DNA sequence: TTAAATTATTTTGTATACATTTTTTATGAA
DNA sequence: TTCATAAAAAATGTATACAAAATAATTTAA
């Protein structure tokens, strides 16, 4: 016997609703009702309610609606990202396992040669790897939440099409490789700032 | 008619349990059971459960027990604080309302002349004011959570007795007043770092 | 006595019912 | 028509019951 085999209904509900939101099947601003979701998933309201509350705390739901962040919200989120990920990049420059370095490199590689889907995933992972390398669960958790909110806009804002994005990733990777912490931090901050600007521009279109 | 007048039971439960934890009436590591709390508060398990889940997400409860952060956990928390509050101090140096500046000054003043309780509150507020001035709800929320976890140690670690604490606050205040962002950030980071070290030392005693 | 296994007990997870609140729709006065 | 009000419908909040799982206590074999 390994571990759990029965997944609780509220976990199921949580994953189901979260997926729907991140897929865009539940659009930004959509009103969520416990009963409808419960019926849809085939469980009672109780665990659905629990799942909704959790998503509410994570910022994906705001008073029973799928969150629809404003320009300002995004600026705030990106500000936090700049600070935490800037630090993370610097941290990686001081030390990073061979394995993680390899992964970073491969993300850049895929960014150049992969399919649209692959590129998107690789770009996302590039940041995940850097933050993950800090081994700071608080930081990882915070960034995770912010990333998922940003992810809501992936249809509107096709990030992977931003010019120079991959080259910026590569530059960050190189700075880390060369143990140049100052540079790694600076590049990461600039990079995220450019992402924000790209994002805000696209949202107005 | 103004607004709400009936406070939902889960809000009541949330506040009640949170208070108990922060007061230390529920000690670190204490197991929480829904039924006992429900009975104590005089409501059913449902809203209590909701409250517990919320506190779990906030990091004050971890698998049904009052959280008991390790050294490492505190390091991680303080690392995030250093980054966000360092930025906040810099931000304040670029612009801060007269009102907020006055409040900062008064916190330093109380730090020098107030009673133990007053000093503790003023020191706490000093940081709150600076973070609040960024008007970044994400940042405010993150810092809030971390502060409440740190607050759990206020009995073990009598922060206000740390030497130089008030003078450090005053230096930060002055740097902000003089619009010296670099200095404000640096001082804030050093200050929080010293708090961490003080805290870790005390925990081992 | 120790440790495994079994049984009791407690605690959690889920469904359901109902009361309360909120939202929507309908109705009527200006 | 527009606005306010009333009535209806929908959705949420809470209590309760019971099933399932986790913990604690007890028994039994080595």
């Amino acid at each position: 016997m390994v571990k759990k085999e029965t997944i609780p209904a509220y976990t199921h509900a949580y994953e189901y609703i979260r997926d729907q939101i991140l897929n865009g099947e539940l659009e930004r601003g959509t009103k969520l009702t416990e009963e409808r979701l419960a019926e849809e998933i085939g469980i009672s309201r109780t665990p659905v309610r629990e799942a909704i509350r959790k998503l509410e705390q994570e910022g994906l739901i705001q008073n029973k609606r799928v969150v629809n962040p404003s320009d300002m919200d995004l600026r705030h989120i990106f500000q936090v990202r700049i600070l935490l990920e800037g630090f993370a990049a610097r941290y990686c420059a001081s030390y990073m396992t061979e394995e993680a370095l390899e992964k970073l490199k491969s993300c850049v590689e895929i960014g150049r040669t992969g399919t649209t889907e692959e590129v998107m995933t690789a770009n996302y992972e590039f940041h995940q790897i850097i933050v993950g390398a800090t081994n700071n669960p608080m930081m990882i958790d915070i960034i995770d939440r912010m990333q998922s909110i940003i992810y809501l806009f992936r249809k509107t804002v096709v990030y992977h099409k931003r010019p120079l994005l991959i080259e910026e990733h590569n530059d960050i990777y190189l700075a880390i490789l060369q143990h140049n912490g100052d540079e790694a931090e600076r590049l990461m901050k600039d990079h995220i700032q450019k992402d924000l600007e790209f994002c805000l521009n696209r949202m107005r279109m």
Side-chain angles (χ1 to χ4, degrees), chain A:
Chain A
M1 207 116 306
V2 196
K3 277 213 167 172
K4 301 202 165 191
E5 32 210 324
T6 46
I7 293 148
Y10 69 85
T11 303
H12 183 220
Y14 169 77
E15 286 169 359
Y16 178 87
I17 300 168
R18 190 170 190 275
D19 279 359
Q20 294 256 321
I21 292 174
L22 293 181
N23 286 339
E25 284 172 69
L26 283 168
E27 285 182 9
R28 277 176 275 141
T30 311
K31 177 88 192 286
L32 299 179
T33 72
E34 295 171 7
E35 204 157 283
R36 204 183 57 66
L37 285 166
E39 203 174 356
E40 201 172 312
I41 302 172
I43 58 181
S44 84
R45 269 179 57 214
T46 314
V48 169
R49 193 180 165 77
E50 214 163 292
I52 289 177
R53 280 281 147 81
K54 189 166 182 196
L55 289 161
E56 228 157 16
Q57 287 240 311
E58 289 180 15
L60 283 176
I61 295 179
Q62 238 163 36
N63 53 295
K64 313 277 156 190
R65 289 175 184 280
V66 178
V67 71
N68 191 4
S70 66
D71 274 31
M72 251 322 184
D73 292 334
L74 286 175
R75 283 177 209 277
H76 291 142
I77 287 172
F78 275 82
Q79 180 60 68
V80 174
R81 281 192 64 202
I82 284 173
L83 295 167
L84 301 191
E85 298 196 35
F87 166 83
R90 169 185 290 277
Y91 182 92
C92 290
S94 75
Y95 171 72
M96 195 172 210
T97 64
E98 278 305 321
E99 198 194 338
L101 280 168
E102 271 311 311
K103 277 198 210 153
L104 278 189
K105 191 174 166 186
S106 129
C107 285
V108 175
E109 209 52 51
I110 292 167
R112 284 171 173 148
T113 60
T115 66
T116 299
E117 266 312 312
E118 286 170 348
V119 172
M120 284 187 68
T121 311
N123 288 347
Y124 180 79
E125 277 181 4
F126 185 85
H127 288 266
Q128 292 285 109
I129 293 164
I130 289 173
V131 175
T134 63
N135 284 311
N136 183 331
M138 305 283 162
M139 218 175 269
I140 293 169
D141 186 69
I142 293 166
I143 294 298
D144 238 46
R145 289 193 195 181
M146 310 221 146
Q147 284 284 22
S148 64
I149 293 171
I150 293 167
Y151 191 76
L152 290 173
F153 291 92
R154 87 199 165 297
K155 291 257 166 77
T156 331
V157 186
V158 190
Y159 294 101
H160 70 279
K161 290 223 174 135
R162 176 162 83 69
L164 300 177
L165 191 147
I166 304 299
E167 283 323 299
E168 286 166 24
H169 277 187
N170 190 49
D171 292 347
I172 293 166
Y173 164 68
L174 289 176
I176 290 172
L177 199 64
Q178 292 158 207
H179 301 296
N180 191 339
D182 286 349
E183 188 73 351
E185 177 172 351
R186 194 184 62 73
L187 289 170
M188 178 61 94
K189 287 182 165 179
D190 286 358
H191 169 64
I192 298 174
Q193 182 66 38
K194 286 197 186 107
D195 257 10
L196 170 62
E197 278 155 22
F198 184 75
C199 182
L200 291 175
N201 272 323
R202 286 310 170 101
M203 277 173 66
R204 298 203 192 85
M205 289 161 57

